[in-house]
Amino acid sequence: MKKSPREVMESSRMLGRRGLMLGGVQLGIAMALGLRLRTMQLEHADEYRMLSDGNSIKIRLLPPARGLIHDRTGAVIAGNEQNYRVTLTREEAGGDVEAVLRHLSRLIPINDARMAELLDEFSRRSAITPIVLADRLSWEQFSSIAVNAPALPGVTPESGLSRVYPRSHDLAHVLGYVGPVSDYDLSKIENPDPVLMLPEFQLGKVGVEAKMETELRGTAGERRVEVNSAGREMRELSRKEGQQGATVQLTIDAGLQNYAAQRMGTESAAAVVLDVQTGEVLCSCSTPSFDPNKFVRGISGPDYRSLMEHNHRPLADKTVQGVYPPGSTFKLVTLMAGLEAGVINGGSSFYCPGYVEVGGRRFHCWRRGGHGQMDAIQSLEQSCDVYYYELAQRVGIDRIAEMARKLGIGVRHDLPMSAIAQGIAPDRAWKRERYDQEWQIGDSLNASIGQGFVLASPMQLAVMTARVASGRLISPRLVRAIDGVPQLSEEFPDLGFDPRNLQQVRAGMDAVMNSARGTARSSRIIAEEWRMAGKTGTSQVRNITAAERARGVVSNEQLPWERRDHALFVCFAPYEQPRFAVSVVVEHGGGGSTVAAPIARDILLYALAGGLPPLDSVPEAQRAEMEARHKMMKLYTPEPPKSGRSSQA
Amino acid sequence: MAYLDYQVAQTPAGWRKILYLNWPLVFLLSAVACYGFVMLYSVAGGDTDIWAKPQMYRYVVGLVAMIALAFVPMWFWRGVSVFGYVLCLLLLIAVELIGDIGMGAQRWIDIGPVQLQPSELMKVALVLVLAAYYDWLDVKKTSHPLWVLVPVILILTPTGLVLMQPDLGTSIMLITGGAIVMFAAGVSLWYFAAVILLAVALVTTVLESRDTEWQLLKDYQYRRIDTFLDPSVDPLGAGYNITQAQIALGSGGWSGRGFMQGTQSRLNFLPEKHTDFIFTVLAEEFGFVGAGSLLVLYTLIIGFCLFSALGNRDRFGSLLTIGIGGTFFVYFAINMGMVMGMLPVVGSPLPLVSYGGTAMMILMLGFGMVQSAHVHKPR
């Protein structure tokens, strides 16, 4: 078929037209694509850039090293140690987690129960979440896993810091312990620090660890990492190390604390040593104690139950949480109240026939035969009850309660310790509010000798003693310095008591120790420069019925432990220029003079001597026993670290 | 035009033909291929062996093949066009019968060591046969309904077979490629208007058929349509790919995040980043400068094809050039439109840049014919 040239011309013109139209359409579409590209890349680039970064950049927190806690000498009493552990990520294990675990069980013990537990956890958690297989590995185990890493896909040996308490039992109550963050902890905190959400993070649960959490925690560091679409880390973009928590120096003397703990032995007891001038708590010891390291590592059920069920309550800090009827140690308050009220003076005396009858009831003195004529000093020296019954009737409970509060009883002392008890300094208003009953005169008599409603903690008794010894409004202090910045407050104000009245009370306490008829004479210090003043107390935990009294008072040894009297003792030394005030309470220990006083004296001597009590400072008859006791003890002397701060303990 | 119509004496012969190649087109194609090598090196994380090297070998083979085909006289291509078309049609049917299952669709046929994708081959064969048809057909009959029906059947038969595989992307390209040749040949615009109306009606029907017994498309194709219409509905499911692709593209900005620095691709947020989504990697790493320049290169390729076609008085060569150029245009327009969220995700590669052997060889085959038309045009 031959085409005419005209036809050819026509068809090629048509083709040219259509070709141009097509080119136009194609150009139009290309321009549309270009415009779209421009819109996305130039006009909305920032939005997409943000989305892209959000996709790929994740911020991971670096837990800060917890601040160290030092004792007053600078020795570390709460530190951090390297904790070696292994984690496994399912995604990297190549699917067969069980095979990897079996392989690993040849290096570290994983029993069948633990294996099942782990497999269950792996099936529940995301494939990219690392799961802790074993914690607190020895260096040998850790390095053997590291060496065998190629044969253990997905297994990562990691090291982190965990809390350690080198002094273990000694400071358990003061320091408390840290533990994993619970939902309950989080619910209490407004705006919780995101670092608390880290699975391995621990925070202070009780004691100084809890109360000074803010200072000790430090600030978390940050790692900006790039993650892939599966959420796995590909590389680290930047790293900002966290700021370690502040180093907190306590006023506690770890050596003294250790001595006190061993001196009290297996008794359920508490001892507090205060610096009379500064209020520093040098020792706050409660026995029996527990190992806080067990709580950090996760205490086992049986261990925890045995602590909970122990009738000596090892978990309780008896120095601030335990409140006891102060017994005769409260006579310092009653006497001081009488002197300050002007009801009596140094010369005033009362006659003690062995009892008083008030409101149809007979109130007995501890000495059935009576003490005869007693003045203020003698009343303390011999701890005459009748003297205080007479005094209480004249002073009135409200003035006694007011004096108790001035001396620190029934007042909450602000210390970074857990569950501090307020104690009770009862008065008329208190009883009305508490029991909706009128105050009876008998209540006053009971209160005057520290029985009845009066309750005080060993810390409060030590504060009372320090205030009597110094005449100042001493407040206990537990924190000496934070990051080297001294925290001790300036001079304490004067209590405003008449110095002569204070001197009366101190002289009475001196007589308790040093006069021939003193109730605690056997526990005196014979070294004159450390001359000691004190007051015994024995507080009943049961009412003595008339029938019992008729049969004769049953001796403590015949009673079950929990019904025996509490033994109390407060003291200070040196008498002329007081430095330390000590209080000791031995729960159900029996008599204050026989049980509590020797312990208090020895602790006081340790504080005065700055080490083991010298044998020649106690009466000769007791030296052999003391020496034998010293030999039994495994004493600890704090060693301050050579350099300033370190993360290791 | 018959054989004798070609003015043989005026046509370059022997090795002299090499001087008459459309050299700008050769350079443009090579430049686009280089974009591909660079991006394949980048998505492999700095490894040439995985994708970049095989792609280079293929391109060199393709380039040699293109030049070799350019030496083949034009009349040979016209002569084999019907045979080639029938052969491709038979292969498509064969794929239906014996093809392997790949990606949920039957697309491949194994011939010895090579995997053949007849649907790709058909893209060129269809253009070839249509060009030959309109070259043969009396111009006056071009818009006659009967003579319009013939090319429509020629187009729809392979399209139907491809759709059965099912491969929506290739189906669309066969239809548009064929339509471009028909349009260039001068078929009345009314037909196109009618077809567009019909297409709208068809799309409506297809969408309506969903969840009924006579559902026309597979479920995954419907989901792709949903995703296209609103990717944000399911950003982590079906819409994930397109959302991530757009994030990558947009975050490139003016000059991009730098070579091998694209976080979206580096961190596997992007799907199929060495094939269908390679444009987003380019856009992320080289920004508007990189992506825009590639678009310009593509447009220039189309422009040179069109320029060559308009300067060719041989109707067959001209239509063939327009058809191949048009197919190439549809190729990249669909891919770019897809990754930029203007079109549904139909699964089509970026020509000469995406990793893939068959697509590149077919394109170079097509451009070999375009070169042949250029070399042998009546002077």
Side-chain angles (χ1 to χ4, degrees):
Chain A
M1 186 165 64
K2 180 91 177 126
K3 284 172 193 161
S4 69
R6 209 175 141 243
E7 266 181 340
V8 173
M9 280 281 284
E10 212 170 89
S11 74
S12 94
R13 260 219 305 280
M14 167 64 110
L15 205 152
R17 255 199 329 268
R18 286 291 173 93
L20 285 175
M21 278 169 77
L22 204 60
V25 170
Q26 287 175 340
L27 195 65
I29 293 175
M31 277 170 70
L33 289 171
L35 277 175
R36 171 79 175 172
L37 197 63
R38 201 187 82 97
T39 312
M40 286 178 76
Q41 292 202 293
L42 302 186
E43 282 166 29
H44 297 288
D46 293 343
E47 297 156 37
Y48 285 114
R49 183 65 68 101
M50 238 167 65
L51 288 170
S52 169
D53 289 347
N55 249 346
S56 55
I57 296 171
K58 294 273 177 287
I59 292 170
R60 302 271 153 97
L61 287 175
L62 287 169
R66 200 171 172 81
L68 303 180
I69 304 179
H70 289 167
D71 86 335
R72 65 182 298 112
T73 65
V76 176
I77 49 179
N80 303 315
E81 66 177 355
Q82 283 291 334
N83 173 19
Y84 300 108
R85 61 172 184 247
V86 276
T87 61
L88 177 61
T89 311
R90 181 154 54 102
E91 189 200 35
E92 294 163 42
D96 197 353
V97 172
E98 197 171 351
V100 177
L101 286 179
R102 295 244 173 267
H103 204 84
L104 190 69
S105 66
R106 270 177 257 157
L107 300 172
I108 53 169
I110 302 177
N111 61 31
D112 288 347
R114 175 77 182 134
M115 183 81 84
E117 200 181 307
L118 282 171
L119 288 174
D120 178 55
E121 191 166 3
F122 277 111
S123 65
R124 282 186 288 113
R125 303 287 284 275
S126 147
I128 54 159
T129 309
I131 287 167
V132 179
L133 299 180
D135 215 355
R136 297 187 183 274
L137 298 169
S138 67
W139 170 245
E140 285 71 26
Q141 289 173 322
F142 184 73
S143 45
S144 76
I145 290 166
V147 167
N148 286 294
L152 300 163
V155 173
T156 317
E158 288 177 359
S159 72
L161 293 177
S162 73
R163 202 61 156 169
V164 65
Y165 302 103
R167 297 310 309 147
S168 175
H169 291 66
D170 283 358
L171 286 147
H173 296 110
V174 176
L175 296 174
Y177 48 82
V178 296
V181 185
S182 66
D183 291 340
Y184 175 70
D185 292 328
L186 288 176
S187 73
K188 283 194 300 183
I189 309 166
E190 219 175 292
N191 238 330
D193 187 336
V195 78
L196 296 178
M197 311 295 185
L198 292 179
E200 298 298 315
F201 198 78
Q202 298 198 309
L203 92 169
K205 292 287 187 177
V206 291
V208 170
E209 291 275 30
K211 297 291 171 180
M212 304 201 65
E213 175 68 27
T214 328
E215 289 83 0
L216 290 167
R217 186 185 299 159
T219 41
E222 235 182 51
R223 249 156 35 92
R224 284 160 59 85
V225 292
E226 205 171 68
V227 295
N228 70 2
S229 56
R232 185 128 69 82
E233 277 177 33
M234 303 305 282
R235 64 182 168 141
E236 192 171 277
L237 299 173
S238 67
R239 188 187 183 95
K240 202 184 90 207
E241 291 296 338
Q243 170 92 44
Q244 185 177 5
T247 299
V248 172
Q249 187 178 35
L250 299 185
T251 56
I252 296 284
D253 180 330
L256 176 61
Q257 183 88 8
N258 175 257
Y259 178 82
Q262 295 191 49
R263 183 64 185 83
M264 292 190 287
T266 57
E267 297 279 9
S268 177
V272 175
V273 180
L274 289 184
D275 184 306
V276 165
Q277 301 303 323
T278 63
E280 289 173 89
V281 180
L282 278 84
C283 165
S284 174
C285 183
S286 175
T287 57
S289 186
F290 60 93
D291 183 359
N293 293 308
K294 279 189 179 168
F295 282 83
V296 179
R297 289 162 201 178
I299 191 164
S300 72
D303 278 358
Y304 187 67
R305 266 196 301 285
S306 79
L307 286 175
M308 287 298 285
E309 286 162 7
H310 197 305
N311 67 355
H312 284 25
R313 305 195 318 285
L315 291 176
D317 181 1
K318 298 177 188 106
T319 60
V320 292
Q321 296 167 10
V323 285
Y324 309 89
S328 298
T329 58
F330 194 70
K331 287 173 181 167
L332 303 178
V333 172
T334 314
L335 182 60
M336 200 63 214
L339 289 166
E340 278 294 300
V343 170
I344 50 166
N345 58 45
S348 310
S349 64
F350 296 109
Y351 181 76
C352 169
Y355 63 90
V356 287
E357 296 227 22
V358 177
R361 264 184 74 195
R362 188 172 274 207
F363 290 83
H364 290 272
C365 186
W366 66 271
R367 191 174 199 185
R368 304 303 301 271
H371 289 92
Q373 202 70 28
M374 289 269 112
D375 64 11
I377 291 175
Q378 287 169 319
S379 75
L380 279 181
E381 176 197 45
Q382 296 173 44
S383 203
C384 174
D385 292 339
V386 169
Y387 184 92
Y388 292 90
Y389 296 152
E390 298 289 350
L391 189 53
Q393 292 177 62
R394 288 163 177 76
V395 182
I397 189 61
D398 287 343
R399 282 193 282 195
I400 293 175
E402 195 193 331
M403 178 55 69
R405 285 190 283 269
K406 272 190 181 168
L407 291 177
I409 291 173
V411 180
R412 249 184 94 93
H413 297 293
D414 185 29
L415 285 166
M417 298 171 92
S418 291
I420 298 175
Q422 192 173 347
I424 298 169
D427 57 16
R428 292 169 201 278
W430 173 85
K431 194 181 176 190
R432 251 199 312 278
E433 197 184 309
R434 177 73 194 269
Y435 293 104
D436 197 21
Q437 282 173 8
E438 280 309 305
W439 187 265
Q440 305 296 316
I441 189 67
D443 296 332
S444 296
L445 266 56
N446 278 331
S448 71
I449 60 161
Q451 295 282 164
F453 298 120
V454 189
L455 288 175
S457 67
M459 181 62 73
Q460 289 172 329
L461 292 176
V463 170
M464 170 188 80
T465 312
R467 287 186 183 176
V468 167
S470 67
R472 292 179 195 282
L473 193 70
I474 304 295
S475 282
R477 300 274 161 218
L478 192 57
V479 181
R480 190 174 165 87
I482 295 175
D483 263 343
V485 180
Q487 299 291 307
L488 298 174
S489 64
E490 62 304 343
E491 287 274 280
F492 295 103
D494 200 276
L495 278 163
F497 296 148
D498 186 334
R500 282 170 304 175
N501 293 341
L502 274 170
Q503 192 45 45
Q504 285 281 312
V505 177
R506 290 182 198 142
M509 290 175 74
D510 178 59
V512 168
M513 306 301 307
N514 300 308
S515 80
R517 308 182 77 169
T519 51
R521 183 176 163 77
S522 62
S523 298
R524 70 189 182 279
I525 297 174
I526 61 169
E528 192 53 34
E529 73 273 22
W530 293 338
R531 187 183 171 99
M532 172 186 176
K535 182 70 195 88
T536 56
T538 305
S539 70
Q540 290 168 3
V541 292
R542 67 205 162 96
N543 287 318
I544 300 173
T545 60
E548 280 178 316
R549 201 174 292 280
R551 273 186 265 116
V553 177
V554 190
S555 77
N556 261 299
E557 284 68 30
Q558 292 168 275
L559 288 167
W561 178 78
E562 65 275 8
R563 295 192 64 199
R564 292 179 195 167
D565 297 338
H566 292 315
L568 298 95
F569 193 76
V570 298
C571 56
F572 67 87
Y575 176 65
E576 295 298 339
Q577 278 174 320
R579 284 170 55 203
F580 303 111
V582 177
S583 73
V584 168
V585 174
V586 181
E587 283 190 344
H588 311 293
S593 60
T594 52
V595 179
I599 295 175
R601 189 265 320 269
D602 290 354
I603 293 172
L604 184 57
L605 267 178
Y606 188 103
L608 289 163
L612 266 189
L615 295 177
D616 58 5
S617 57
V618 301
E620 222 173 317
Q622 298 167 22
R623 288 176 191 169
E625 190 195 343
M626 191 175 208
E627 196 175 6
R629 195 183 288 124
H630 287 175
K631 276 189 184 141
M632 298 259 297
M633 290 180 173
K634 286 192 199 72
L635 284 174
Y636 159 78
T637 316
E639 276 172 55
K642 282 172 206 83
S643 63
R645 274 168 72 159
S646 78
S647 59
Q648 307 260 323
Chain B
M1 272 195 288
Y3 166 74
L4 287 174
D5 296 335
Y6 285 97
Q7 291 159 297
V8 179
Q10 290 174 30
T11 311
W15 290 107
R16 270 171 49 81
K17 284 183 183 178
I18 209 153
L19 299 173
Y20 289 84
L21 283 178
N22 193 345
W23 281 107
L25 198 56
V26 176
F27 290 127
L28 285 169
L29 292 173
S30 301
V32 168
C34 287
Y35 272 72
F37 307 148
V38 171
M39 292 332 292
L40 287 172
Y41 175 80
S42 171
V43 293
D47 192 330
T48 45
D49 291 343
I50 304 179
W51 293 313
K53 217 181 249 175
Q55 182 86 342
M56 283 185 205
Y57 287 143
R58 282 179 195 144
Y59 181 70
V60 171
V61 172
L63 196 66
V64 170
M66 179 181 85
I67 292 169
L69 291 182
F71 279 64
V72 177
M74 214 45 219
W75 46 89
F76 172 79
W77 295 123
R78 196 176 53 179
V80 299
S81 63
V82 175
F83 173 73
Y85 177 79
V86 172
L87 184 71
C88 283
L89 210 56
L90 291 174
L91 283 172
L92 272 178
I93 294 165
V95 159
E96 270 307 304
L97 300 176
I98 61 162
D100 289 337
I101 304 293
M103 298 290 284
Q106 291 181 319
R107 292 176 189 180
W108 304 94
I109 185 166
D110 274 317
I111 298 173
V114 276
Q115 284 183 318
L116 197 69
Q117 219 176 337
S119 57
E120 290 289 321
L121 219 49
M122 186 47 107
K123 289 174 188 167
V124 173
L126 182 64
V127 168
L128 203 61
V129 82
L130 287 175
Y133 172 77
Y134 280 110
D135 183 40
W136 165 82
L137 189 68
D138 189 351
V139 181
K140 287 195 285 269
K141 293 176 186 166
T142 307
S143 290
H144 190 286
L146 192 68
W147 299 108
V148 169
L149 193 64
V150 175
V152 167
I153 289 168
L154 287 176
I155 294 168
L156 289 187
T157 311
T159 305
L161 285 168
V162 169
L163 210 51
M164 275 162 72
Q165 288 183 352
D167 185 348
L168 190 61
T170 306
S171 313
I172 292 169
M173 287 182 62
L174 286 173
I175 290 178
T176 43
I180 285 171
V181 179
M182 287 175 74
F183 181 85
V187 175
S188 170
L189 290 176
W190 291 109
Y191 285 103
F192 292 95
V195 166
I196 289 169
L197 269 176
L198 213 73
V200 172
L202 184 73
V203 167
T204 319
T205 318
V206 164
L207 291 180
E208 286 298 312
S209 79
R210 190 174 187 179
D211 294 333
T212 62
E213 283 172 12
W214 47 281
Q215 183 167 309
L216 291 173
L217 297 180
K218 296 239 163 163
D219 280 342
Y220 82 91
Q221 288 168 322
Y222 279 112
R223 280 198 296 275
R224 280 180 177 181
I225 294 171
D226 289 343
T227 305
F228 162 63
L229 294 175
D230 190 359
S232 63
V233 169
D234 186 12
L236 290 175
Y240 181 80
N241 288 356
I242 196 66
T243 308
Q244 295 299 343
Q246 291 189 44
I247 290 174
L249 211 132
S251 67
W254 171 255
S255 58
R257 311 204 106 182
F259 183 47
M260 311 257 299
Q261 299 297 313
T263 55
Q264 289 288 102
S265 52
R266 197 92 309 116
L267 305 171
N268 282 326
F269 286 100
L270 285 178
E272 305 276 331
K273 55 189 179 184
H274 64 294
T275 56
D276 291 2
F277 284 85
I278 198 163
F279 185 65
T280 58
V281 184
L282 173 75
E284 185 185 26
E285 298 192 350
F286 293 100
F288 185 69
V289 174
S293 62
L294 183 64
L295 182 62
V296 168
L297 287 180
Y298 277 134
T299 314
L300 282 175
I301 288 175
I302 304 301
F304 272 94
C305 282
L306 204 59
F307 191 70
S308 164
L310 295 181
N312 195 341
R313 278 180 288 124
D314 174 21
R315 190 169 164 81
F316 173 66
S318 185
L319 285 174
L320 179 75
T321 306
I322 289 178
I324 298 291
T327 304
F328 185 74
F329 174 81
V330 174
Y331 239 120
F332 79 76
I334 285 184
N335 181 277
M336 286 188 185
M338 171 180 90
V339 298
M340 285 194 278
M342 300 164 84
L343 292 173
V345 179
V346 289
S348 100
L350 192 61
L352 297 180
V353 176
S354 285
Y355 182 77
T358 312
M360 174 171 271
M361 291 315 291
I362 299 297
L363 276 168
M364 295 311 278
L365 184 81
F367 280 111
M369 292 175 193
V370 167
Q371 292 285 10
S372 174
H374 193 74
V375 171
H376 298 100
K377 70 182 174 186
R379 281 160 218 278

